[in-house]
Amino acid sequence: MVTQLVRIGAEFGISCFSGGGFDGLAGKHEAAVRPVTGGLRTRVLHIGDYDRSGEHMFTTLAEDVLAFAEAAGVEVQFERVAVTGEQVVAHNLPTAPPKATDRRSFSGTATTQAEALPPDVLAAIVREAIEAHRDLEVHRQILAREETERRAIRESLSRRPRDRMAAH
């Protein structure tokens, strides 16, 4: 799943990071200060299991990273994009009863693993979430700047062989 998400993110120039279970504070701190070095607004699109642990992981990740980010003077926003109760129903995903031993609060009556989302459905969900937050004017400006830079590089490279030959 991570490889697929990295590929989708790369299409938009977005980094993808994977946590393992309940991430430690060091990883959360790194996630919070990463926007400081890049100087960019950051929105975390979260994918997790639809169960007590998945919802708790999202909540604690957001709380901890937001606290570190606030201390560093940066803004980070969080959005859970998958798996949601609506997606379980819409895509007829397999479910299981919640674990009786897990006493954390949970909004659902049945659980679903993130891996239950078919790859094409997950890709569509992620792309839609990214597109919902893209600034199309900024994107247009970046593409125009890239084209200008590409043209300048081509012109520079095409002049070099002639310049060298004239110098000999």
Side-chain angles (χ1 to χ4, degrees), residues 4-166:
Q4 176 188 15
L5 296 173
V6 167
R7 226 178 5 255
I8 294 167
E11 293 173 25
F12 297 94
I14 296 171
S15 300
C16 177
F17 300 92
S18 174
F22 288 93
D23 294 327
L25 287 178
K28 292 175 180 180
H29 181 263
E30 182 181 325
V33 298
R34 197 174 293 123
V36 173
T37 57
L40 302 172
R41 289 181 298 163
T42 299
R43 178 179 304 271
V44 176
L45 303 177
H46 184 267
I47 298 166
D49 296 340
Y50 181 65
D51 61 12
R52 288 179 175 124
S53 291
E55 287 190 359
H56 185 72
M57 275 190 262
F58 173 73
T59 301
T60 58
L61 174 68
E63 288 173 354
D64 292 345
V65 171
L66 289 171
F68 283 127
E70 186 178 319
V74 296
E75 182 182 346
V76 178
Q77 298 174 334
F78 278 79
E79 180 180 339
R80 184 167 169 104
V81 297
V83 174
T84 66
E86 294 80 17
Q87 291 164 344
V88 172
V89 173
H91 301 291
N92 196 29
L93 301 177
T95 61
K99 293 179 184 173
T101 56
D102 194 341
R103 301 284 183 217
R104 290 176 283 226
S105 65
F106 175 56
S107 61
T109 57
T111 67
T112 299
Q113 300 297 300
E115 292 83 1
L117 279 168
D120 60 325
V121 172
L122 177 61
I125 290 168
V126 171
R127 281 190 179 94
E128 183 179 312
I130 292 169
E131 292 285 349
H133 299 289
R134 279 182 58 197
D135 184 327
L136 295 179
E137 178 57 25
V138 169
H139 181 69
R140 187 196 62 73
Q141 290 171 4
I142 290 170
L143 290 177
R145 186 173 65 225
E146 284 178 355
E147 182 56 35
T148 300
E149 290 172 0
R150 197 175 293 113
R151 196 173 312 123
I153 290 169
R154 270 189 248 135
E155 288 173 10
S156 174
L157 291 174
S158 68
R159 283 192 306 259
R160 282 201 171 142
R162 284 187 226 121
D163 293 346
R164 277 192 226 124
M165 290 179 10

